[in-house]
């Protein structure tokens, strides 16, 4: 069991963090994070770099200190900081650099001796082993990241800081006390500046494995959507790959105890989608199989599987699609191994249950309706995974603390659909940025708190963001949290779960202190009032239970009646919908039949007009040169008797057959009453015509 000093340490770090997150009027975590961003950009380059690379650089060069992509973007785009940064979008990638004027200002900051320099001089002047500098670092780290007593002494210009006997040998205590007691006002000022920066560090990140842990924010089961896997492998571009792997790296940290899964349907979707995309890639490569990959990488604009293929292909003698597929699947297996991603094959429901099938289908239809561009098979898999999480959760889904299972997806439409349909405080689908922001803000930003602490204090851009007055306000605000450890945890839990923290924004320094006091007192009053109400309520419970017993049977009957009425209402509604569907289908059928008949009626009508015209020209305009019918009759009359009879028979027979064909066609078309029965009408005409002739 941890002692009270350990608990006090946890309270101090958490109180500093909560204070910074809710008091933008004096000091905010944004201001502190901005120092890290500026220091990084000065060290990296004078030109713009992708924001994802900046995020990765901070992780690798500041002791594993982690910020989410969205946190960095929010700070850079904050109106009051925008003049310090230049940013733009290049091919959907956020590029950022320090503004020229800001860079000049930071690079020309006056050189001030820091605490480490004074320690090094003290060691050198007194012939002390240079390795002893680590003892000094550990001491000041322990002093200024554990409690407020040292800070309060500094505010009173008292630099006689106690060296704990249980933590240091007698020799080390003599060395540290010798340094602290040396008469040097500039050295004391350096200690003060060190303490100010140390407090900023405590406001920026909690300490991993601190006693005051939010264990309910740990031990979560996070199920990755397919889009997260594609991004992590690099199939949606290098920028998204860096951002997604940063998310997975933070989630997979051992001190957070987050468990990462994929469902069997997610893996199935991944493999099937990959095969489909590779088939498209293979088809696209056929016209130009010898394209130079360097040229493609220089001029192509898409940032996906095609570009990844040509990057992989460069310099390879064997660049078959099958080998590329094996490369991607190997990357997938490596991803699972690196970030401890487990395939969960234990389906929490009966897949053959008809009700469950209907519910999944209903979810899929609803998702498809909300996002019409999504393929139905993808909607079905999303619906299946949603159902999976619902069954895994059971009734434990009231808030983010007691809910264990979530889907992590970059699908904004799916997230909004899920959010809109949920009435509880813990939606199933969360964006990676949402979850990462939560754990970085309240749990820990780093695996090695001490290493990050040292890196933070040794930054080139390390002037304090707080004035002496602001430091005083910050110490007061933090120290006035309640001394009762259990109550403190209750207060912080309530702060996270409620919107009360929003009321602390944009207030003056005096108001912040008063609001902090008011918040603590309000929560205490709530507890006392709650106990008093419970006492009075318990006295009324006996009489209330008797009343409940009397009314229970009435309520049951009422519920049965309501259930019957609801069932009847649903039955009527379904019948109305069926009727409407039948009416619409009938209308569509009629329109299709009209569209089919119209060109045939027009053709028969035109043939009928032609036959009437031929008959008419037998009797009128006989002397006109253009009347070919009259000329045909004259020619037939000029033939001898036998030829004349044959010609007449052929002419009249043909004309008669055409007339019959038109008549039977007209009758046959009118007899088609249903679009499905349209086939065979010509066959019916032919049979009738044959029967008439024979």
């Amino acid at each position: 069991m941890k002692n009270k000093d350990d608990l006090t340490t946890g309270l101090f770090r958490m109180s500093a963090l909560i204070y910074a997150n809710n008091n933008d009027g004096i000091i905010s975590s944004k201001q502190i994070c901005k120092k890290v961003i500026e220091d990084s950009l000065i060290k990296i380059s004078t030109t713009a770099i992708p924001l994802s690379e900046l995020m990765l650089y901070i992780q690798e060069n500041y002791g594993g200190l982690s910020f989410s992509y969205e946190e960095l973007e929010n700070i850079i785009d904050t109106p009051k900081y925008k003049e310090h940064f230049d940013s733009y979008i290049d091919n959907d990638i956020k590029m950022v650099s320090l503004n020229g004027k800001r860079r000049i200002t930071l690079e020309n900051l006056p050189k001030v001796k820091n605490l480490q320099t004074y320690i090094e001089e003290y060691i050198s002047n007194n012939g002390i082993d240079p390795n002893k500098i680590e003892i000094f670092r550990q001491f000041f780290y322990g002093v200024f990241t554990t409690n407020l007593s040292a800070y309060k002494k500094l505010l009173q210009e008292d630099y006689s800081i106690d060296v704990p006997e249980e933590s240091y040998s007698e020799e080390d205590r003599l060395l540290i006390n010798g340094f602290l007691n040396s008469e040097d006002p500039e050295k004391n000022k350096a200690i003060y500046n060190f303490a100010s920066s140390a407090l900023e560090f405590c406001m920026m990140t909690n300490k991993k494995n601190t006693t005051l842990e939010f264990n309910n924010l740990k031990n979560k089961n996070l199920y990755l959507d397919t889009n997260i896997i594609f991004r992590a492998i690099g199939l949606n571009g290098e920028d998204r790959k860096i951002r997604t792997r940063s998310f997975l790296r933070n989630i997979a940290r051992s001190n957070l105890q987050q468990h990462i899964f994929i469902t069997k349907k997610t893996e199935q979707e991944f493999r099937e989608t990959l095969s489909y995309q590779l088939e498209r890639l293979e088809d696209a490569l056929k016209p130009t199989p010898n394209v130079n990959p360097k040229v493609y990488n220089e001029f192509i604009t898409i940032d996906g599987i095609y570009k990844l293929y040509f990057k992989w292909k460069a310099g390879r003698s064997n660049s078959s699609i099958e080998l590329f597929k094996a490369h991607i699947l190997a990357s997938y297996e490596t991803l699972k191994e690196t970030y401890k991603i487990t395939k969960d094959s234990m389906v929490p429901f009966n897949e053959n249950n008809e009700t469950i099938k209907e519910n999944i289908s209903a979810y899929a239809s609803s998702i498809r309706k909300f996002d019409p561009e999504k393929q139905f098979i993808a909607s079905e898999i999303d619906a299946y995974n949603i159902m999976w999480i619902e069954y895994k959760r059971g009734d434990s889904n009231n808030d983010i603390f007691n809910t264990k299972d979530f889907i992590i997806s970059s699908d904004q439409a799916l997230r909004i659909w899920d959010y809109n349909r949920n009435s509880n405080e813990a939606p199933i689908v969360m964006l990676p940025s949402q979850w990462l922001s939560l754990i970085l803000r309240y749990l820990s930003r780093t695996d090695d708190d001490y290493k990050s602490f040292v890196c933070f204090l040794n930054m080139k851009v390390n002037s304090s963001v707080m004035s002496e007055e602001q430091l005083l306000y910050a110490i007061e605000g933090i120290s006035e949290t309640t001394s009762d450890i259990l109550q403190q945890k209750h207060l912080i839990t309530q702060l996270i779960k409620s919107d009360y923290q929003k009321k602390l924004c944009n207030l003056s320094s005096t108001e912040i202190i008063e609001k902090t006091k008011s918040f603590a007192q309000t929560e205490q009053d709530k507890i006392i009032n709650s106990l008093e109400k419970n006492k009075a309520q318990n006295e009324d419970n006996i009489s209330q239970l008797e009343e409940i017993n009397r009314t229970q049977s009435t309520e049951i009957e009422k519920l049965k009646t309501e259930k019957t009425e609801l069932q009847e209402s649903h039955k009527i509604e379904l019948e109305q919908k069926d009727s409407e569907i039948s009416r619409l289908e009938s209308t569509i059928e009629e329109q299709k039949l009209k569209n089919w008949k119209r060109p045939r009626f027009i053709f028969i009508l035109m043939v009928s007009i032609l036959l009437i015209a031929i008959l008419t020209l037998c009797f009128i305009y006989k002397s006109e040169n253009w009347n070919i019918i009259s000329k045909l009759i004259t020619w037939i009359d000029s033939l001898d008797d036998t030829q004349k009879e044959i010609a007449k028979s052929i002419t009249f027979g043909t004309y008669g057959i055409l007339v019959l064909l038109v008549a039977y066609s007209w009758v046959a078309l009118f007899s088609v009453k249903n679009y499905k029965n349209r086939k065979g009408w010509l066959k019916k005409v032919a049979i009738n015509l044959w029967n008439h002739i024979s």
Side-chain angles (χ1 to χ4, degrees):
M1 184 174 179
K2 298 185 179 180
N3 59 39
K4 186 155 184 168
D5 290 337
D6 293 330
L7 293 171
T8 304
T9 298
L11 283 172
F12 166 68
R13 291 294 292 268
M14 183 56 71
S15 297
L17 187 70
I18 293 293
Y19 181 82
N21 284 335
N22 295 280
N23 291 280
D24 286 354
I26 288 185
I27 174 68
S28 73
S29 53
K30 280 186 179 182
Q31 291 172 272
I32 303 167
C33 176
K34 176 174 171 285
K35 284 177 55 175
V36 181
I37 295 174
E38 290 179 331
D39 188 70
S40 301
L41 289 174
I42 282 181
K43 293 176 181 176
I44 297 174
S45 173
T46 57
T47 58
I49 62 168
L51 185 57
S52 57
E53 288 188 18
L54 173 64
M55 177 184 67
L56 198 60
Y57 179 86
I58 294 173
Q59 288 177 358
E60 294 174 348
N61 293 275
Y62 291 81
L65 188 64
S66 295
F67 294 97
S68 71
Y69 182 93
E70 287 71 22
E71 282 180 307
L72 298 178
E73 185 175 42
N74 182 260
I75 291 165
I76 289 169
D77 292 339
T78 297
K80 67 178 180 179
Y81 301 148
K82 288 204 75 170
E83 63 181 15
H84 294 168
F85 303 101
D86 293 327
S87 63
Y88 60 92
I89 303 297
D90 183 16
N91 287 333
D92 293 330
I93 297 176
K94 181 91 168 185
M95 306 293 291
V96 62
S97 65
L98 267 180
N99 179 271
K101 291 182 180 179
R102 182 61 177 170
R103 179 179 290 275
I104 292 171
T105 300
L106 295 176
E107 288 178 341
N108 289 280
L109 288 173
K111 305 294 182 182
V112 179
K113 289 172 66 175
N114 59 22
L115 180 59
Q116 176 152 319
T117 305
Y118 283 102
I119 295 172
E120 290 171 349
E121 289 180 354
Y122 174 76
I123 289 174
S124 176
N125 294 338
N126 291 276
I128 301 170
D129 182 0
N131 292 325
K132 287 291 185 180
I133 193 171
E134 189 63 22
I135 298 297
F136 287 90
R137 286 176 178 169
Q138 290 280 2
F139 168 72
F140 283 109
Y141 167 76
V143 167
F144 293 115
T145 61
T146 57
N147 57 66
L148 289 171
S149 59
Y151 287 100
K152 291 180 178 179
K153 281 188 174 183
L154 291 182
L155 292 174
Q156 298 168 6
E157 299 186 2
D158 181 358
Y159 296 91
S160 58
I161 304 170
D162 296 330
V163 183
E165 294 182 6
E166 66 275 10
S167 302
Y168 299 93
S169 67
E170 184 177 353
E171 178 189 357
D172 291 340
R173 291 201 307 274
L174 288 173
L175 290 177
I176 296 170
N177 283 323
F179 176 75
L180 293 173
N181 296 331
S182 61
E183 293 295 332
D184 187 347
E186 292 301 317
K187 179 261 300 180
N188 292 339
K189 184 177 180 181
I191 293 176
Y192 184 93
N193 291 336
F194 178 93
S196 180
S197 294
L199 185 60
E200 291 174 10
F201 180 80
C202 293
M203 289 177 172
M204 180 175 62
T205 177
N206 203 354
K207 182 180 179 182
K208 74 169 185 175
N209 298 328
T210 185
T211 303
L212 191 65
E213 294 175 329
F214 289 103
N215 288 319
N216 286 335
L217 288 179
K218 298 184 177 183
N219 291 306
K220 303 296 187 185
N221 299 324
L222 307 180
Y223 287 80
L224 303 183
D225 198 359
T226 311
N227 47 56
I228 300 296
I229 298 172
F230 275 118
R231 291 184 176 205
I233 293 176
L235 295 176
N236 290 113
E238 189 66 22
D239 188 68
R240 287 193 174 103
K241 176 182 177 181
I242 293 173
R243 291 161 58 180
T244 304
R245 288 192 175 232
S246 173
F247 164 77
L248 292 173
R249 173 191 172 278
N250 278 289
I251 294 299
R253 281 188 282 153
S254 60
N255 60 303
L256 296 181
Q257 300 164 22
Q258 309 279 311
H259 311 292
I260 310 177
F261 294 98
I262 55 171
T263 67
K264 66 173 189 175
K265 281 287 186 181
T266 298
E267 180 161 284
Q268 174 188 332
E269 183 181 34
F270 165 73
R271 292 181 181 277
E272 290 178 354
T273 303
L274 177 63
S275 297
Y276 170 72
Q277 292 290 350
L278 290 176
E279 287 175 6
R280 292 181 62 195
L281 173 63
E282 192 168 24
D283 291 339
L285 293 176
K286 288 177 181 177
T288 54
N290 297 320
V291 63
N292 187 331
K294 293 183 179 179
V295 174
Y296 188 92
N297 283 335
E298 182 177 355
F299 295 106
I300 201 70
T301 57
I302 60 173
D303 195 11
I305 192 168
Y306 299 98
K307 190 170 184 179
L308 182 66
Y309 169 75
F310 279 99
K311 283 185 177 181
W312 171 82
K313 177 184 177 183
R316 303 183 66 90
S317 58
N318 183 0
S319 57
S320 70
I321 296 298
E322 282 301 316
L323 189 59
F324 179 55
K325 182 178 182 179
H327 164 73
I328 294 177
L329 292 176
S331 299
Y332 171 60
E333 294 301 326
T334 302
L335 180 79
K336 291 198 295 183
E337 182 179 341
T338 302
Y339 299 108
K340 300 179 177 62
I341 302 171
T342 304
K343 178 183 175 182
D344 189 354
S345 300
M346 300 295 292
V347 184
F349 51 80
N350 182 358
E351 294 179 289
N352 296 320
N353 183 281
E354 289 301 321
T355 302
I356 290 176
K357 287 182 179 179
E358 290 173 4
N359 289 339
I360 291 175
S361 180
Y363 280 2
S365 297
S366 179
I367 294 170
R368 183 81 170 79
K369 184 177 181 181
F370 188 82
D371 183 10
E373 294 183 2
K374 184 186 286 284
Q375 297 295 322
F376 190 77
I377 183 65
S379 301
E380 283 189 322
I381 293 173
D382 287 339
Y384 181 93
N385 288 337
I386 292 285
M387 184 69 65
W388 185 298
I389 299 301
E390 287 183 346
Y391 271 82
K392 290 281 288 185
R393 285 182 172 186
D395 295 328
S396 300
N397 61 355
N398 293 330
D399 59 47
I400 202 166
F401 288 101
N402 67 10
T403 304
K404 285 196 64 173
D405 303 278
F406 297 87
I407 291 176
I408 303 298
S409 174
S410 59
D411 188 338
Q412 286 277 13
L414 182 63
R415 181 189 70 85
I416 296 170
W417 171 84
D418 176 61
Y419 179 82
N420 289 338
R421 77 187 182 91
N422 266 306
S423 59
N424 55 57
E425 296 179 8
I428 287 175
V429 181
M430 293 189 71
L431 298 176
S433 58
Q434 290 176 317
W435 190 257
L436 187 58
S437 174
L438 185 71
I439 64 170
L440 292 181
R441 183 172 181 178
Y442 291 110
L443 294 179
S444 172
R445 290 188 181 274
T446 175
D447 283 327
D448 191 330
D449 193 67
Y450 173 68
K451 185 177 179 181
S452 294
F453 177 81
V454 173
C455 291
F456 180 78
L457 294 177
N458 287 329
M459 293 192 308
K460 182 175 182 179
V461 180
N462 204 19
S463 57
S464 177
V465 299
M466 291 188 290
S467 65
E468 292 186 16
E469 182 183 10
Q470 288 174 324
L471 181 61
L472 172 63
Y473 284 132
I475 297 299
E476 282 190 60
I478 295 169
S479 64
E480 288 188 351
T481 55
T482 178
S483 60
D484 186 317
I485 294 170
L486 293 177
Q487 183 174 333
Q488 175 70 12
K489 184 173 182 180
H490 170 73
L491 291 175
I492 296 171
T493 303
Q494 290 302 313
L495 184 61
I496 294 174
K497 290 173 67 176
S498 70
D499 291 332
Y500 192 92
Q501 57 191 14
K502 296 179 182 178
K503 300 177 182 178
L504 302 181
C505 297
N506 302 319
L507 300 175
S508 68
S509 56
T510 304
E511 286 174 315
I512 290 173
I513 297 171
E514 294 304 318
K515 287 287 184 182
T516 305
K517 294 178 184 177
S518 172
F519 183 81
Q521 186 60 47
T522 300
E523 290 299 317
Q524 290 172 349
D525 291 343
K526 284 181 181 178
I527 294 171
I528 294 171
N529 292 336
S530 177
L531 290 173
E532 291 177 349
K533 288 180 180 179
N534 285 341
K535 180 181 177 181
Q537 187 173 357
N538 287 337
E539 294 173 355
D540 295 335
N541 279 345
I542 296 174
S543 59
Q544 289 178 356
L545 286 172
E546 292 175 352
E547 180 65 24
I548 289 171
N549 286 333
R550 286 194 299 269
T551 58
Q552 223 171 23
S553 58
T554 305
E555 288 295 325
I556 291 173
E557 290 300 321
K558 182 179 178 182
L559 288 173
K560 286 182 178 179
T561 303
E562 289 177 353
K563 179 182 177 182
T564 303
E565 291 175 352
L566 189 60
Q567 288 175 338
E568 289 297 325
S569 175
H570 285 172
K571 182 178 179 181
I572 293 171
E573 186 178 348
L574 287 173
E575 288 175 351
Q576 290 175 345
K577 288 183 177 179
D578 289 339
S579 176
E580 179 64 15
I581 290 171
S582 298
R583 186 188 66 79
L584 290 174
E585 288 177 346
S586 176
T587 302
I588 293 170
E589 192 77 15
E590 289 176 3
Q591 187 60 44
K592 288 165 69 177
L593 182 61
K594 287 180 181 179
N595 293 339
W596 179 80
K597 282 185 175 183
R598 187 176 293 111
R600 289 161 178 78
F601 276 130
I602 292 173
F603 177 78
I604 293 171
L605 184 62
M606 291 177 65
V607 173
S608 300
I609 293 171
L610 178 61
L611 292 175
I612 293 171
I614 291 172
L615 184 61
T616 303
L617 290 175
C618 290
F619 304 102
I620 61 174
Y621 302 112
K622 292 192 289 184
S623 60
E624 298 295 337
N625 290 330
W626 50 263
N627 191 336
I628 58 174
I629 302 301
S630 177
K631 290 182 178 181
L632 177 62
I633 293 171
T634 303
W635 175 74
I636 291 173
D637 288 337
S638 66
L639 297 174
D640 59 40
D641 292 341
T642 302
Q643 291 176 333
K644 184 186 298 184
E645 290 303 322
I646 293 171
K648 283 182 180 182
S649 297
I650 293 172
T651 302
F652 293 146
T654 302
Y655 188 89
I657 289 171
L658 286 174
V659 170
L660 290 172
L661 182 62
V662 167
Y664 285 129
S665 297
W666 193 271
V667 172
L669 270 179
F670 269 111
S671 67
V672 178
K673 302 298 183 182
N674 191 298
Y675 181 73
K676 294 179 181 178
N677 299 331
R678 70 192 185 281
K679 296 180 180 179
W681 75 281
L682 281 177
K683 183 179 179 181
K684 187 186 294 183
V685 170
I687 291 171
N688 290 336
L689 184 61
W690 177 258
N691 291 337
H692 189 279
I693 294 172
S694 60

